[in-house]
Coordinates of all heavy atoms in Angstrom, one line a residue:
M1 N 54.2 116.3 121.9 CA 53.5 116.9 123.1 C 53.1 118.3 122.6 O 53.8 119.1 122.0 CB 54.2 117.0 124.3 CG 54.5 115.6 124.9 SD 53.2 114.6 125.4 CE 53.2 114.9 127.1
R2 N 51.9 118.7 122.8 CA 51.4 120.1 122.5 C 51.2 120.9 123.9 O 50.6 120.3 124.8 CB 50.1 120.0 121.9 CG 49.6 121.5 121.5 CD 48.5 121.4 120.6 NE 48.1 122.8 120.3 CZ 47.1 123.1 119.5 NH1 46.5 122.1 118.8 NH2 46.8 124.3 119.3
D3 N 51.8 122.0 123.9 CA 51.7 122.8 125.1 C 50.7 123.9 125.0 O 50.7 124.7 124.2 CB 53.1 123.5 125.3 CG 53.2 124.1 126.7 OD1 52.3 124.2 127.4 OD2 54.4 124.7 127.0
N4 N 49.6 123.8 125.9 CA 48.5 124.6 125.9 C 48.7 125.8 127.0 O 47.6 126.4 127.3 CB 47.2 123.9 126.1 CG 46.7 123.3 124.7 OD1 47.3 123.5 123.7 ND2 45.8 122.4 124.9
R5 N 49.8 125.9 127.6 CA 50.0 126.9 128.6 C 50.0 128.3 127.9 O 50.3 128.6 126.8 CB 51.2 126.8 129.3 CG 51.2 125.5 130.2 CD 52.4 125.3 131.0 NE 53.2 124.5 130.1 CZ 54.4 123.9 130.6 NH1 54.8 124.2 131.8 NH2 55.1 123.2 129.8
T6 N 49.4 129.2 128.8 CA 49.3 130.6 128.4 C 50.7 131.2 128.7 O 51.6 130.6 129.1 CB 48.3 131.4 129.0 OG1 48.5 131.4 130.4 CG2 46.9 130.7 128.8
S7 N 50.9 132.6 128.3 CA 52.1 133.2 128.6 C 52.5 133.3 130.1 O 53.6 133.4 130.5 CB 52.0 134.7 128.1 OG 51.1 135.4 128.7
R8 N 51.4 133.1 130.9 CA 51.7 133.0 132.3 C 52.1 131.6 132.8 O 52.3 131.3 133.9 CB 50.4 133.5 133.1 CG 50.1 135.0 132.8 CD 48.9 135.3 133.5 NE 47.8 134.5 133.0 CZ 46.5 134.5 133.4 NH1 46.2 135.3 134.4 NH2 45.7 133.6 132.9
G9 N 52.0 130.7 131.9 CA 52.5 129.3 132.3 C 51.3 128.5 132.8 O 51.5 127.4 133.3
L10 N 50.1 128.9 132.6 CA 49.0 128.2 133.0 C 48.4 127.3 132.0 O 48.2 127.7 130.8 CB 47.8 129.0 133.6 CG 48.2 130.0 134.7 CD1 47.1 131.0 134.9 CD2 48.6 129.4 135.9
G11 N 47.9 126.1 132.2 CA 47.3 125.3 131.2 C 47.9 123.8 131.2 O 48.9 123.5 131.9
D12 N 47.3 123.0 130.5 CA 47.7 121.6 130.4 C 48.6 121.4 129.2 O 48.5 122.2 128.2 CB 46.5 120.7 130.3 CG 45.7 120.7 131.5 OD1 46.2 121.0 132.6 OD2 44.4 120.4 131.5
V13 N 49.3 120.3 129.2 CA 50.1 119.8 128.1 C 49.5 118.5 127.6 O 49.0 117.5 128.4 CB 51.5 119.6 128.4 CG1 52.4 119.0 127.3 CG2 52.2 120.8 129.0
Y14 N 49.2 118.3 126.3 CA 48.6 117.1 125.8 C 49.2 116.6 124.5 O 49.8 117.3 123.8 CB 47.0 117.3 125.7 CG 46.6 118.2 124.5 CD1 46.3 117.4 123.3 CD2 46.5 119.4 124.5 CE1 45.8 118.1 122.2 CE2 46.1 120.1 123.4 CZ 45.8 119.5 122.2 OH 45.4 120.2 121.1
K15 N 48.9 115.4 124.2 CA 49.4 114.7 123.1 C 48.3 113.8 122.6 O 47.7 113.0 123.4 CB 50.7 113.9 123.5 CG 51.2 113.0 122.2 CD 52.4 112.2 122.6 CE 52.8 111.2 121.5 NZ 53.5 111.9 120.5
R16 N 48.1 113.7 121.2 CA 47.2 112.8 120.6 C 48.0 111.9 119.8 O 48.8 112.5 118.9 CB 46.0 113.5 119.9 CG 45.2 114.2 120.8 CD 44.1 114.8 119.9 NE 43.2 115.5 120.8 CZ 42.1 116.2 120.4 NH1 41.7 116.2 119.1 NH2 41.2 116.8 121.2
Q17 N 47.9 110.6 119.8 CA 48.6 109.6 119.1 C 47.6 108.7 118.4 O 46.9 107.9 119.1 CB 49.6 108.9 119.9 CG 50.2 107.8 119.3 CD 51.2 108.1 118.3 OE1 52.0 109.1 118.6 NE2 51.3 107.6 117.2
P18 N 47.5 108.6 117.1 CA 46.6 107.6 116.4 C 47.1 106.2 116.7 O 48.4 106.1 116.7 CB 46.6 107.9 115.1 CG 47.6 109.0 114.9 CD 48.0 109.5 116.1
L19 N 46.3 105.2 117.0 CA 46.6 103.8 117.2 C 46.3 103.2 115.9 O 45.2 103.0 115.6 CB 45.8 103.2 118.4 CG 46.2 103.8 119.7 CD1 45.2 103.2 120.8 CD2 47.6 103.6 120.1
Y20 N 47.3 102.8 115.2 CA 47.1 102.2 113.8 C 48.2 101.2 113.6 O 49.2 101.2 114.2 CB 47.1 103.3 112.7 CG 48.4 104.0 112.7 CD1 49.5 103.5 111.9 CD2 48.6 105.1 113.4 CE1 50.7 104.2 111.9 CE2 49.9 105.8 113.5 CZ 51.0 105.4 112.6 OH 52.1 106.0 112.6
N21 N 48.0 100.4 112.6 CA 49.0 99.4 112.1 C 49.6 99.8 110.9 O 50.9 99.9 110.9 CB 48.4 98.0 111.9 CG 48.0 97.5 113.3 OD1 48.5 97.6 114.3 ND2 46.9 96.7 113.4
E22 N 48.9 100.0 109.9 CA 49.6 100.4 108.5 C 49.4 101.8 108.2 O 50.5 102.4 107.9 CB 48.7 99.6 107.4 CG 48.9 98.1 107.5 CD 48.0 97.5 108.3 OE1 46.8 97.9 108.6 OE2 48.3 96.3 108.8
S23 N 48.4 102.5 108.4 CA 48.2 103.9 108.0 C 47.6 104.7 109.1 O 46.6 104.3 109.6 CB 47.4 104.0 106.7 OG 47.2 105.3 106.4
P24 N 48.1 105.8 109.4 CA 47.4 106.6 110.4 C 46.1 107.3 110.0 O 45.2 107.6 110.8 CB 48.5 107.8 110.7 CG 49.2 107.9 109.5 CD 49.3 106.5 109.0
Y25 N 45.9 107.2 108.6 CA 44.5 107.7 108.2 C 43.5 106.7 108.3 O 42.3 107.0 108.3 CB 44.7 108.1 106.6 CG 45.8 109.0 106.4 CD1 47.1 108.6 105.8 CD2 45.7 110.3 106.8 CE1 48.1 109.5 105.6 CE2 46.7 111.3 106.6 CZ 47.9 110.9 106.1 OH 48.9 111.7 105.8
N26 N 43.8 105.4 108.6 CA 42.8 104.4 108.7 C 42.6 104.1 110.2 O 42.0 103.1 110.6 CB 43.2 103.1 108.1 CG 43.2 103.3 106.5 OD1 42.5 104.2 106.0 ND2 44.0 102.6 105.8
A27 N 43.2 104.8 111.2 CA 43.2 104.6 112.6 C 41.7 104.7 113.1 O 41.0 105.6 112.8 CB 44.1 105.6 113.4
T28 N 41.3 103.7 113.8 CA 39.9 103.6 114.5 C 39.9 104.1 115.8 O 38.9 104.5 116.4 CB 39.3 102.3 114.5 OG1 40.2 101.5 115.2 CG2 39.3 101.8 113.1
C29 N 41.1 104.4 116.5 CA 41.2 104.8 117.8 C 42.4 105.8 118.0 O 43.3 105.6 117.1 CB 41.3 103.7 118.9 SG 39.9 102.6 119.0
Q30 N 42.4 106.5 119.0 CA 43.5 107.4 119.3 C 43.9 107.5 120.8 O 43.0 107.3 121.6 CB 43.4 108.7 118.8 CG 42.4 109.6 119.4 CD 42.3 111.0 118.9 OE1 43.1 111.4 118.2 NE2 41.1 111.7 119.1
L31 N 45.1 107.6 121.1 CA 45.5 107.8 122.5 C 45.6 109.3 122.9 O 46.3 110.0 122.1 CB 46.8 107.0 122.8 CG 47.5 107.2 124.1 CD1 46.6 106.5 125.2 CD2 48.9 106.7 124.2
K32 N 44.9 109.7 123.9 CA 45.0 111.0 124.4 C 45.7 111.0 125.7 O 45.3 110.4 126.7 CB 43.6 111.7 124.5 CG 43.0 111.8 123.2 CD 41.5 112.2 123.3 CE 41.3 113.4 124.0 NZ 39.8 113.9 124.0
L33 N 46.8 111.8 125.8 CA 47.6 111.9 127.0 C 47.5 113.4 127.4 O 47.7 114.3 126.7 CB 49.1 111.6 126.9 CG 49.4 110.2 126.5 CD1 50.9 110.1 126.1 CD2 49.1 109.2 127.6
T34 N 47.1 113.6 128.7 CA 47.1 115.1 129.2 C 47.8 115.1 130.5 O 47.7 114.2 131.5 CB 45.7 115.3 129.5 OG1 44.8 115.2 128.3 CG2 45.5 116.9 129.9
I35 N 48.8 116.1 130.5 CA 49.5 116.3 131.8 C 49.2 117.6 132.3 O 49.0 118.7 131.6 CB 51.0 116.2 131.5 CG1 51.4 115.0 130.9 CG2 51.8 116.5 132.8 CD1 52.8 114.9 130.4
N36 N 48.7 117.8 133.6 CA 48.3 119.0 134.2 C 49.5 120.0 134.2 O 50.6 119.7 134.0 CB 47.6 118.8 135.6 CG 48.6 118.5 136.6 OD1 49.7 118.1 136.4 ND2 48.2 118.7 137.9
E37 N 49.1 121.3 134.6 CA 50.0 122.4 134.6 C 51.2 122.2 135.6 O 52.3 122.6 135.4 CB 49.4 123.7 134.7 CG 48.7 123.8 136.1 CD 47.9 125.1 136.2 OE1 48.5 126.2 136.5 OE2 46.7 125.1 135.9
D38 N 50.9 121.5 136.7 CA 51.9 121.2 137.6 C 52.8 120.0 137.4 O 53.8 119.8 138.1 CB 51.3 121.0 139.0 CG 50.5 122.2 139.5 OD1 50.9 123.3 139.2 OD2 49.6 122.0 140.3
L39 N 52.5 119.3 136.3 CA 53.3 118.2 135.8 C 53.4 117.1 136.8 O 54.3 116.3 136.9 CB 54.7 118.6 135.3 CG 54.8 119.7 134.3 CD1 56.3 120.0 134.1 CD2 54.2 119.3 133.0
D40 N 52.3 116.9 137.6 CA 52.3 115.9 138.6 C 51.0 115.0 138.4 O 50.9 114.1 139.2 CB 52.2 116.5 140.0 CG 51.0 117.3 140.3 OD1 50.2 117.5 139.4 OD2 51.0 117.8 141.4
H41 N 50.3 115.1 137.4 CA 49.0 114.3 137.2 C 49.0 114.0 135.6 O 49.0 114.8 134.8 CB 47.8 114.9 137.6 CG 46.6 114.0 137.5 ND1 46.3 113.0 138.3 CD2 45.5 114.0 136.6 CE1 45.3 112.4 138.0 NE2 44.7 113.0 136.9
L42 N 48.9 112.7 135.3 CA 48.9 112.2 133.9 C 47.5 111.6 133.7 O 47.1 110.6 134.4 CB 50.0 111.3 133.5 CG 49.8 110.5 132.2 CD1 50.2 111.4 131.1 CD2 50.8 109.4 132.3
T43 N 46.8 111.9 132.6 CA 45.5 111.2 132.3 C 45.7 110.6 130.9 O 46.1 111.2 129.9 CB 44.3 112.2 132.2 OG1 44.2 112.8 133.4 CG2 43.1 111.5 131.9
M44 N 45.4 109.3 130.8 CA 45.4 108.6 129.4 C 44.1 108.1 129.2 O 43.4 107.5 130.0 CB 46.4 107.4 129.5 CG 47.9 107.8 129.7 SD 48.9 106.4 129.4 CE 48.3 105.2 130.6
V45 N 43.6 108.2 127.9 CA 42.3 107.8 127.5 C 42.4 107.4 126.0 O 43.1 108.1 125.3 CB 41.2 108.9 127.6 CG1 39.9 108.4 127.1 CG2 41.1 109.4 128.9
V46 N 41.9 106.2 125.7 CA 41.8 105.7 124.3 C 40.3 106.1 123.8 O 39.4 105.8 124.5 CB 42.0 104.2 124.2 CG1 41.9 103.8 122.8 CG2 43.5 103.9 124.7
T47 N 40.4 106.9 122.8 CA 39.0 107.2 122.2 C 38.8 106.9 120.8 O 39.7 106.4 120.1 CB 38.9 108.8 122.3 OG1 39.8 109.4 121.5 CG2 39.0 109.3 123.8
D48 N 37.6 107.2 120.2 CA 37.4 106.9 118.9 C 38.2 108.1 118.1 O 38.9 108.9 118.6 CB 35.9 106.9 118.5 CG 35.2 108.3 118.9 OD1 36.0 109.2 119.4 OD2 34.1 108.3 118.6
T49 N 38.1 108.0 116.7 CA 38.9 109.0 115.9 C 38.5 110.4 116.2 O 39.3 111.3 116.1 CB 38.8 108.7 114.4 OG1 37.4 108.6 114.1 CG2 39.5 107.3 114.2
N50 N 37.2 110.6 116.6 CA 36.8 112.0 116.9 C 37.2 112.5 118.3 O 37.1 113.7 118.6 CB 35.2 112.0 116.9 CG 34.7 111.8 115.5 OD1 35.4 112.1 114.4 ND2 33.6 111.2 115.4
G51 N 37.6 111.5 119.1 CA 38.0 112.0 120.4 C 36.9 112.2 121.4 O 37.0 112.7 122.5
L52 N 35.7 111.6 121.1 CA 34.5 112.0 121.9 C 34.0 110.8 122.7 O 33.4 111.0 123.7 CB 33.3 112.3 120.9 CG 33.5 113.6 120.0 CD1 32.4 113.8 119.2 CD2 33.8 114.9 120.9
Q53 N 34.3 109.7 122.3 CA 33.9 108.5 123.1 C 34.9 107.6 123.5 O 35.9 107.3 122.6 CB 32.8 107.6 122.3 CG 31.6 108.4 122.1 CD 30.4 107.5 121.6 OE1 30.7 106.3 121.5 NE2 29.1 108.1 121.5
K54 N 35.1 107.1 124.7 CA 36.1 106.3 125.1 C 35.9 104.9 124.5 O 34.8 104.4 124.3 CB 36.0 106.1 126.7 CG 36.3 107.3 127.5 CD 36.3 107.2 128.9 CE 36.5 108.5 129.7 NZ 36.3 108.3 131.2
V55 N 37.0 104.2 124.3 CA 37.1 102.9 123.7 C 37.9 102.0 124.6 O 39.1 102.3 125.0 CB 37.6 102.8 122.3 CG1 37.8 101.6 121.7 CG2 36.9 103.8 121.3
N56 N 37.3 100.8 125.0 CA 38.1 99.9 125.8 C 38.6 98.9 124.8 O 38.0 98.0 124.4 CB 37.1 99.1 126.8 CG 37.9 98.2 127.8 OD1 39.1 97.9 127.6 ND2 37.3 97.8 128.9
I57 N 40.0 99.1 124.5 CA 40.6 98.2 123.6 C 40.9 96.8 124.2 O 41.3 95.8 123.4 CB 41.9 98.9 123.0 CG1 42.9 99.2 124.0 CG2 41.5 100.1 122.1 CD1 44.3 99.7 123.5
F58 N 40.8 96.6 125.4 CA 41.2 95.4 126.0 C 40.1 94.4 126.0 O 40.3 93.2 126.2 CB 41.6 95.7 127.5 CG 42.8 96.5 127.6 CD1 42.6 97.9 128.0 CD2 44.1 96.1 127.3 CE1 43.7 98.7 128.0 CE2 45.1 96.9 127.4 CZ 44.9 98.3 127.8
K59 N 38.8 94.8 125.7 CA 37.7 93.9 125.6 C 37.5 93.2 124.2 O 37.0 92.1 124.2 CB 36.4 94.6 126.0 CG 36.2 94.9 127.5 CD 34.8 95.5 127.7 CE 34.5 95.7 129.1 NZ 33.2 96.2 129.3
N60 N 38.0 93.8 123.3 CA 37.7 93.3 121.8 C 38.9 92.6 121.4 O 40.0 93.4 121.2 CB 37.3 94.4 121.0 CG 36.8 94.0 119.6 OD1 37.2 92.8 119.3 ND2 36.2 94.8 118.9
K61 N 38.9 91.3 121.1 CA 40.2 90.6 120.7 C 40.6 91.1 119.3 O 41.7 90.9 119.0 CB 39.9 89.2 120.5 CG 39.6 88.5 122.0 CD 39.6 87.0 122.0 CE 39.2 86.5 123.3 NZ 40.2 86.0 124.1
Q62 N 39.8 91.7 118.5 CA 40.2 92.2 117.2 C 41.1 93.4 117.3 O 41.8 93.8 116.4 CB 39.0 92.6 116.4 CG 38.2 91.4 116.0 CD 36.9 91.7 115.2 OE1 36.4 92.9 115.2 NE2 36.4 90.9 114.4
L63 N 41.1 94.0 118.6 CA 41.8 95.3 118.7 C 43.1 94.9 119.5 O 43.9 95.9 119.9 CB 41.0 96.3 119.5 CG 39.8 96.8 119.0 CD1 39.1 97.7 119.9 CD2 40.1 97.4 117.6
A64 N 43.5 93.6 119.4 CA 44.8 93.2 120.1 C 46.0 94.0 119.5 O 46.9 94.3 120.2 CB 44.9 91.7 120.0
P65 N 46.1 94.2 118.2 CA 47.2 95.0 117.7 C 47.3 96.4 118.2 O 48.5 96.9 118.5 CB 47.0 95.1 116.1 CG 46.2 93.9 115.9 CD 45.2 93.7 117.1
M66 N 46.2 97.0 118.7 CA 46.2 98.4 119.2 C 46.8 98.3 120.7 O 47.4 99.1 121.1 CB 44.8 98.9 119.2 CG 44.4 99.4 117.9 SD 42.8 100.2 118.0 CE 42.4 100.3 116.3
V67 N 46.5 97.2 121.3 CA 47.0 96.9 122.7 C 48.6 96.9 122.6 O 49.2 97.4 123.4 CB 46.4 95.6 123.4 CG1 47.0 95.4 124.7 CG2 44.9 95.9 123.6
E68 N 49.0 96.1 121.6 CA 50.5 95.9 121.5 C 51.1 97.3 121.1 O 52.1 97.7 121.6 CB 50.8 95.0 120.3 CG 50.5 93.5 120.6 CD 50.7 92.6 119.5 OE1 51.4 93.1 118.5 OE2 50.1 91.5 119.5
L69 N 50.4 98.1 120.3 CA 50.9 99.5 120.0 C 50.9 100.3 121.2 O 51.9 101.1 121.4 CB 50.2 100.2 118.8 CG 50.6 101.4 118.3 CD1 52.1 101.3 117.9 CD2 49.7 101.9 117.2
L70 N 49.8 100.3 121.9 CA 49.8 101.0 123.3 C 50.9 100.7 124.2 O 51.6 101.6 124.7 CB 48.4 100.8 123.9 CG 48.2 101.5 125.3 CD1 48.3 103.0 125.1 CD2 47.0 101.1 125.9
D71 N 51.1 99.3 124.4 CA 52.3 98.9 125.1 C 53.6 99.5 124.6 O 54.5 99.9 125.5 CB 52.4 97.4 125.3 CG 51.3 96.7 125.9 OD1 50.7 97.5 126.7 OD2 51.0 95.6 125.8
F72 N 53.8 99.4 123.3 CA 55.1 100.0 122.7 C 55.1 101.5 123.0 O 56.3 102.0 123.5 CB 55.1 99.8 121.2 CG 56.2 100.5 120.5 CD1 57.4 99.8 120.5 CD2 56.1 101.7 119.9 CE1 58.5 100.4 120.0 CE2 57.2 102.2 119.2 CZ 58.4 101.6 119.3
I73 N 54.1 102.3 122.9 CA 54.2 103.7 123.2 C 54.5 104.0 124.6 O 55.2 104.9 124.9 CB 52.8 104.5 122.8 CG1 52.6 104.4 121.3 CG2 52.7 105.8 123.3 CD1 51.2 104.8 120.8
L74 N 53.8 103.3 125.5 CA 54.0 103.5 127.0 C 55.5 103.1 127.3 O 56.1 103.7 128.1 CB 53.1 102.6 127.8 CG 51.6 103.0 127.6 CD1 50.7 102.1 128.4 CD2 51.4 104.6 128.1
K75 N 56.0 102.0 126.7 CA 57.4 101.5 126.9 C 58.4 102.7 126.5 O 59.3 103.0 127.2 CB 57.7 100.3 126.2 CG 59.1 99.8 126.5 CD 59.4 99.4 127.8 CE 60.7 98.8 127.9 NZ 61.4 99.0 129.2
D76 N 58.1 103.3 125.3 CA 58.8 104.4 124.8 C 58.8 105.6 125.7 O 59.9 106.2 126.1 CB 58.4 104.8 123.4 CG 59.2 105.8 122.8 OD1 60.4 105.7 122.8 OD2 58.7 107.0 122.4
L77 N 57.7 106.0 126.3 CA 57.6 107.1 127.2 C 58.3 106.7 128.6 O 58.9 107.6 129.2 CB 56.1 107.4 127.6 CG 55.3 108.0 126.4 CD1 53.8 108.0 126.8 CD2 55.8 109.3 126.0
E78 N 58.3 105.4 128.9 CA 59.0 105.1 130.1 C 60.6 105.1 129.9 O 61.3 105.7 130.7 CB 58.7 103.7 130.5 CG 59.2 103.1 131.8 CD 58.8 101.7 132.1 OE1 57.5 101.4 131.8 OE2 59.6 101.0 132.6
D79 N 61.0 104.6 128.6 CA 62.5 104.7 128.4 C 63.0 106.2 128.3 O 64.1 106.4 128.6 CB 62.7 104.0 127.0 CG 62.5 102.6 127.0 OD1 62.5 102.0 128.2 OD2 62.3 101.9 126.0
R80 N 62.1 107.1 127.8 CA 62.6 108.5 127.8 C 62.4 109.2 129.2 O 62.6 110.4 129.2 CB 61.6 109.2 126.7 CG 61.9 108.7 125.3 CD 61.1 109.5 124.4 NE 61.4 109.0 123.0 CZ 61.0 109.7 122.0 NH1 60.4 110.9 122.1 NH2 61.2 109.3 120.7
Q81 N 61.9 108.4 130.1 CA 61.8 109.0 131.5 C 60.6 110.1 131.6 O 60.7 111.1 132.3 CB 63.1 109.5 132.0 CG 64.0 108.4 132.3 CD 65.4 108.8 132.8 OE1 65.6 109.9 132.9 NE2 66.1 107.9 133.2
I82 N 59.6 109.9 130.6 CA 58.5 110.9 130.7 C 57.5 110.3 131.8 O 56.9 111.2 132.5 CB 57.9 111.0 129.4 CG1 58.9 111.7 128.4 CG2 56.6 111.8 129.3 CD1 58.5 111.7 127.0
I83 N 57.3 109.1 131.8 CA 56.5 108.5 132.8 C 57.3 107.4 133.6 O 58.4 107.0 133.1 CB 55.2 107.8 132.2 CG1 55.6 106.7 131.2 CG2 54.3 108.8 131.6 CD1 54.4 105.9 130.8
A84 N 56.9 107.1 134.8 CA 57.7 106.1 135.6 C 56.6 105.0 136.0 O 55.5 105.3 136.4 CB 58.3 106.6 136.7
P85 N 57.0 103.8 136.1 CA 56.1 102.7 136.7 C 55.9 103.0 138.1 O 56.7 103.5 138.9 CB 56.8 101.4 136.4 CG 58.2 101.8 136.2 CD 58.2 103.2 135.6
C86 N 54.7 102.6 138.6 CA 54.3 102.8 140.0 C 54.9 101.6 140.9 O 54.9 100.5 140.4 CB 52.9 103.0 140.2 SG 52.3 104.4 139.5

């Protein structure tokens, strides 16, 4: 996680995680997580490698390994009690 807060504590915390199978250099998508400064709102977006366009990994069957990796990442965040299921 990267902390973008200023010295006064204002700002968001975010993390970028490439979604890849073999090599992070060949990743076609990345997961962007953003937590607001009050730590009460989480935003998750899967984007292209530039981070400019959203990608729906659930529509394309060729991206099924990325869905599995996303599930693994979310399960890890849940196990560490960073996120909680609703």
Side-chain angles (χ1 to χ4, degrees):
M1 299 292 260
R2 181 172 178 174
D3 190 352
N4 279 347
R5 288 183 266 187
T6 62
S7 60
R8 296 177 300 175
L10 303 174
D12 296 338
V13 179
Y14 74 92
K15 175 182 172 76
R16 289 185 183 181
Q17 173 74 41
L19 296 175
Y20 59 91
N21 289 327
E22 292 85 28
S23 171
Y25 303 109
N26 297 333
T28 57
C29 297
Q30 67 178 342
L31 173 65
K32 292 171 59 175
L33 299 171
T34 306
I35 303 171
N36 71 343
E37 62 184 277
D38 296 328
L39 303 177
D40 62 358
H41 184 76
L42 170 75
T43 304
M44 290 189 310
V45 179
V46 176
T47 66
D48 61 356
T49 53
N50 297 328
L52 300 176
Q53 294 193 358
K54 295 179 184 177
V55 176
N56 188 344
I57 60 174
F58 300 101
K59 283 188 174 182
N60 189 340
K61 293 186 188 268
Q62 293 177 339
L63 299 178
M66 288 187 191
V67 174
E68 291 177 18
L69 184 57
L70 176 64
D71 290 340
F72 176 79
I73 292 169
L74 295 176
K75 178 69 174 147
D76 183 53
L77 291 174
E78 186 179 321
D79 290 345
R80 294 178 181 202
Q81 298 178 350
I82 295 172
I83 61 174
C86 294

